[in-house]
Amino acid sequence: MEGENAITQPEYDAVRDSIAAAIEQSHPFPSEVVKKMADAATEALKVHDRHERILAIGREIADEDAELLRLLAQ
């Protein structure tokens, strides 16, 4: 299900690092806690991205189904 617009692991790693840096700048948490928070946020982003790709596939299927129904109705 990986598409041409799929985010790569290096891009996720960069996002995770940015999240960790932002947390470290704004809160005095231990580095282990910051890492876990950044990892959790990145995993949530990955799940969201997968859901978006699944929804896009669903929309394509629905469009194709609508076209088939239109053709059958003629």
Side-chain angles (χ1 to χ4, degrees):
M1 186 170 62
E2 296 300 318
E4 60 191 45
N5 295 328
I7 298 174
T8 64
Q9 187 58 48
E11 290 170 318
Y12 280 121
D13 293 344
V15 168
R16 184 196 59 232
D17 294 345
S18 294
I19 291 169
I23 293 170
E24 286 174 338
Q25 289 177 2
S26 61
H27 299 343
F29 294 126
S31 62
E32 181 178 304
V33 172
V34 170
K35 181 184 179 330
K36 287 181 181 181
M37 292 170 72
D39 287 346
T42 304
E43 285 304 311
L45 177 61
K46 286 180 181 181
V47 169
H48 173 76
D49 290 342
R50 278 192 297 267
H51 288 171
E52 286 295 316
R53 288 194 303 272
I54 289 168
L55 288 172
I57 291 168
R59 283 189 291 274
E60 287 177 26
I61 292 169
D63 290 346
E64 290 172 7
D65 287 350
E67 179 65 17
L68 288 172
L69 289 172
R70 187 187 65 75
L71 291 172
L72 287 172
Q74 290 181 352

